[in-house]
């Protein structure tokens, strides 16, 4: 057992080093220190006491384990440590980062960036009542989907539309609803070339199972023909399904059945055709010099009864699953009970409406929609920014690292257009004068330091260097503002 003065003893000699871990002021005493009392006044007793207890316990344990010399624990330093803990506890864990990976629509970084008008709409609606489910015309109950249905129909040419939480939900709901219209018809026919995994646990065969459908695979991995579908249709068939293979391509000896052919086949037998587009660009990206991505408009024109796609991929809006199609098919989807469990929240819905309205002015889209603006940002513009930033970044990281502006290739991301690359530019940061083994360590350390900045900077590691693609960095100031701190942490004072 320790023999030491009572814990309260420290109060009378604040400047003296502590003799033993028992000397740490008791929580009550710690809270009476002026700094701590001010924290209590600001944040209340509950949080501050909780943190004070955790702080005292942590310190005591470290002292007892011999990791922290008693002499280093100054009583007056405790309130500063307490203030830090409280501040840290209150700081949100979800925070802005700088995505300099070169992947524009990055699932890890929240996918599409919302347009100003969408942000303003969320702000305007979030804090007060709104007409989410209230019909201002009749004064009666309204339908939240109707806020965007007309817009979606106008943009895509579909007869009807509804929206859910995300596209995974849209696909699940669509299959479930269409495969439960008739208890004798549960089979959904899909090509073996389209049994995609999107990431996580979203795999087409599992989705079919979850939806209570019996998946019938036809064709082969590389080739599926119209007769494969035709031969599989029988009295148990509920639906034909087409899945856009968004994150991979089958090249070489490959064949698949296009939507017009498949729609013809389905309708001949009185069956609906559903198409999951995944990304679903609402405009033809080729008009902006980008690779073409199939649009819901094309799918509707091709005769698809239902088309599903994401709100936060190429569309450039909030997380959402959009379902457009014929009046009959959409009505069936909308009244299926699972719809209620997947409905959109009012905030994403507010953002979605504002985002969709941007599509009414296609000539302004590349200016107003951040996703399109970033995808179409000219390489020369990005390269000029890289040239401008290089000296400052170089000054911050010299002499341990060399910093050079360079051309590089961006990716669209989120599974969209997986093989296409966009010419871009940025900075290549390489350890200077390190051994082969030292290079890896230096890169890891710098990557960690970049991630540890107040606004974390995330790049890409390749060829013994960190690559910072500047395509997504539209404004340099917040990046430049962090350079002094970067220098301090990466190089030292
Ligand atoms: C991304 C994607 C999904 C899932 O969409 P979320 O909006 O992420 O839920 C489904 N199908 C395809 C083909 C996709 O690319």
């Amino acid at each position: 057992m320790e023999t030491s003065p009572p814990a309260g003893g420290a109060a009378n000699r604040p400047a003296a080093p502590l003799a033993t871990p028992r000397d740490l002021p008791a929580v009550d005493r710690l809270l009476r220190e002026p700094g701590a009392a001010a924290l209590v006044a600001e944040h209340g007793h509950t949080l501050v006491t909780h943190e004070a207890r955790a702080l005292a316990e942590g310190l005591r344990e470290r002292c007892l384990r011999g990791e922290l010399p008693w002499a280093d624990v100054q009583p007056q330093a405790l309130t500063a440590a307490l203030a830090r803990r409280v501040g840290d506890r209150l700081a949100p864990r979800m925070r802005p980062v700088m995505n300099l990976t070169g992947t524009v629509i990055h699932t890890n970084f929240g996918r599409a960036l919302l347009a100003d008008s969408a942000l303003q709409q969320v702000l305007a609606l979030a804090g007060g009542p709104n007409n989410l489910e209230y019909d201002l015309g009749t004064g009666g109950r309204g339908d939240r989907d109707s806020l965007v249905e007309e817009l979606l129909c106008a943009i895509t040419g579909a007869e009807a539309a509804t929206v859910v939480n995300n596209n995974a939900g849209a696909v699940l709901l669509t299959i479930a609803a269409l495969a439960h219209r008739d208890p004798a018809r549960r089979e959904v026919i899909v090509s073996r070339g389209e049994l995609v995994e999107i990431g996580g646990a979203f795999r087409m065969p599992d989705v079919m199972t979850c939806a209570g459908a019996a998946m019938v695979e036809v064709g082969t991995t590389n080739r599926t023909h119209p007769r494969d579908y035709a031969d599989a249709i029988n009295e148990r068939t509920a639906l034909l399904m087409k899945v856009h293979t968004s994150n991979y391509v089958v090249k070489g000896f490959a064949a698949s059945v296009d939507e017009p052919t498949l729609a013809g086949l389905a309708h001949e037998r009185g069956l609906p055709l559903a198409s999951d587009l995944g990304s679903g660009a609402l405009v033809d990206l080729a008009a902006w010099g980008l690779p073409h991505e199939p649009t819901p408009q094309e799918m509707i024109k091709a005769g698809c009864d239902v088309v599903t796609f994401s709100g936060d991929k190429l569309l450039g809006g909030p997380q959402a699953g959009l379902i457009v199609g014929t009046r009959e098919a959409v009505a069936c989807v909308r009244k299926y009970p699972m719809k209620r469990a997947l409905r959109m929240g009012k905030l994403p819905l507010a953002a979605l409406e504002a985002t969709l309205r941007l599509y009414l002015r296609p000539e302004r889209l590349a200016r107003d929609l951040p996703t399109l603006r970033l995808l179409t940002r000219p390489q020369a513009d990005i390269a000029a920014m890289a040239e401008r930033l290089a000296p400052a970044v170089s000054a911050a990281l010299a002499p341990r690292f060399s910093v050079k502006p360079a051309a590089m290739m961006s990716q669209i991301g989120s599974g969209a257009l997986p093989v296409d690359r966009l010419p871009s530019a940025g900075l290549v940061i390489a350890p200077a004068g390190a051994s082969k083994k030292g290079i890896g360590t230096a890169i890891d350390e710098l990557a960690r330091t970049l991630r540890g900045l107040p606004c974390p900077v995330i790049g890409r590691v390749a060829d013994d260097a960190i690559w910072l693609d500047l395509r997504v960095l539209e404004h340099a100031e917040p990046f430049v503002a962090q350079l002094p701190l970067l220098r301090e942490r990466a190089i030292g004072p």
Side-chain angles (χ1 to χ4, degrees):
M1 263 318 276
E2 308 263 353
T3 53
S4 58
N12 304 323
R13 41 182 175 80
L18 299 161
T20 78
R22 289 256 204 98
D23 280 358
L24 286 169
V27 170
D28 285 344
R29 242 218 63 233
L30 175 58
L31 293 176
R32 281 196 302 275
E33 294 279 331
L39 284 175
V40 172
E42 186 178 353
H43 302 292
H45 203 260
T46 308
L47 173 67
V48 181
T49 311
H50 182 269
E51 291 307 318
R53 200 163 285 135
L55 172 69
E57 263 158 34
L59 283 174
R60 190 167 286 130
E61 269 168 31
R62 287 176 61 205
C63 285
L64 288 171
R65 280 202 303 269
E67 292 167 11
L68 183 70
W70 315 142
D72 288 359
V73 185
Q74 300 293 333
Q76 64 271 48
L78 291 179
T79 44
L82 180 59
R84 267 199 308 278
R85 279 192 75 111
V86 169
D88 184 49
R89 191 77 166 161
L90 289 173
R93 292 297 174 270
M94 193 167 167
R95 55 207 180 102
V97 304
M98 292 183 191
N99 166 21
L100 306 190
T101 59
T103 301
V104 178
I105 310 171
H106 202 305
T107 299
N108 295 168
F109 305 123
R111 291 197 184 160
L113 315 180
L114 290 184
D116 280 343
S117 62
L119 294 173
Q120 280 164 22
Q121 183 68 347
V122 170
L123 263 183
L125 292 173
N130 57 61
N131 62 330
L132 179 69
E133 291 191 359
Y134 184 77
D135 186 326
L136 291 169
T138 65
R141 192 175 189 286
D143 170 20
R144 65 175 68 203
D145 290 3
S146 67
L147 295 168
V148 291
E149 181 172 17
E150 198 187 306
L151 263 174
L152 271 170
C153 291
I155 296 166
T156 63
E159 288 174 3
T162 185
V163 286
V164 290
N165 178 61
N166 58 7
N167 189 39
V171 176
L172 178 71
L173 173 64
T174 298
I175 296 171
L178 295 177
H180 284 83
R181 286 169 304 163
D182 177 349
R185 291 179 175 271
R186 292 277 192 266
E187 291 186 1
V188 178
I189 302 175
V190 63
S191 160
R192 289 196 171 89
E194 299 171 6
L195 298 179
V196 301
E197 173 179 314
I198 323 278
F202 193 84
R203 299 170 131 190
M204 208 31 87
D206 302 335
V207 174
M208 295 269 185
T209 308
C210 285
M215 186 173 76
V216 175
E217 306 170 30
V218 298
T220 61
T221 307
N222 56 329
R223 289 171 74 81
T224 303
H225 308 285
R227 65 169 185 277
D228 295 324
Y229 290 94
D231 291 350
I233 296 176
N234 59 39
E235 67 286 348
R236 293 181 303 279
T237 308
L239 172 70
L240 269 59
M241 177 94 198
K242 182 91 182 150
V243 186
H244 183 50
T245 57
S246 53
N247 50 9
Y248 68 98
V249 282
V250 179
K251 271 195 158 163
F253 190 54
S256 63
V257 184
D258 62 18
E259 286 79 6
T261 310
L262 211 48
L265 198 61
H267 297 161
E268 225 169 72
R269 311 289 288 264
L271 295 168
L273 169 66
S275 164
D276 175 27
L277 270 188
S279 207
L282 277 182
V283 284
D284 180 4
L285 296 176
W288 286 271
L290 293 165
H292 177 77
E293 172 80 8
T295 63
Q297 292 86 313
E298 290 163 15
M299 297 294 118
I300 293 294
K301 213 178 261 162
C304 295
D305 294 85
V306 195
V307 185
T308 55
F309 51 101
S310 278
D312 55 356
K313 292 184 181 171
L314 283 169
L315 193 150
Q319 180 183 303
L322 293 86
I323 303 171
V324 301
T326 62
R327 221 166 268 119
E328 193 191 344
V330 172
C332 167
V333 166
R334 193 182 275 142
K335 67 170 193 275
Y336 195 68
M338 194 189 279
K339 164 71 169 65
R340 174 63 179 77
L342 294 169
R343 77 177 182 192
M344 276 189 83
K346 63 180 176 179
L347 300 186
L349 196 56
L352 180 63
E353 188 198 345
T355 307
L356 290 174
R357 284 202 194 282
L358 297 177
Y359 283 88
L360 300 176
R361 307 194 304 180
E363 294 84 359
R364 303 278 173 275
L365 210 52
R367 180 193 70 183
D368 297 343
L369 189 73
T371 299
L372 192 58
R373 189 168 70 230
L374 294 171
L375 290 176
T376 55
R377 193 173 165 204
Q379 186 189 28
D381 187 36
I382 310 169
M385 187 186 222
E387 293 286 346
R388 262 197 329 275
L389 287 181
V393 180
S394 188
L397 293 176
R400 271 190 77 197
F401 297 91
S402 79
V403 179
K404 289 198 176 63
M408 49 190 77
M409 296 300 247
S410 303
Q411 262 183 291
I412 294 172
S414 273
L417 311 151
V419 289
D420 292 298
R421 295 284 185 279
L422 309 172
S424 186
L427 301 172
V428 180
I429 306 175
S435 65
K436 187 76 191 161
K437 188 159 157 275
I439 287 177
T441 313
I443 287 177
D444 286 351
E445 276 174 18
L446 181 60
R448 200 176 319 121
T449 304
L450 286 166
R451 288 199 305 272
L453 290 169
C455 184
V457 172
I458 296 128
R460 182 158 43 93
V461 175
D463 303 332
D464 289 340
I466 294 179
W467 297 61
L468 302 182
D469 186 320
L470 301 179
R471 174 176 292 278
V472 176
L473 190 74
E474 290 192 288
H475 306 287
E477 301 77 39
F479 178 82
V480 173
Q482 300 200 101
L483 290 178
L485 196 58
L486 177 65
R487 164 147 203 105
E488 199 179 302
R489 293 183 181 176
I491 310 293

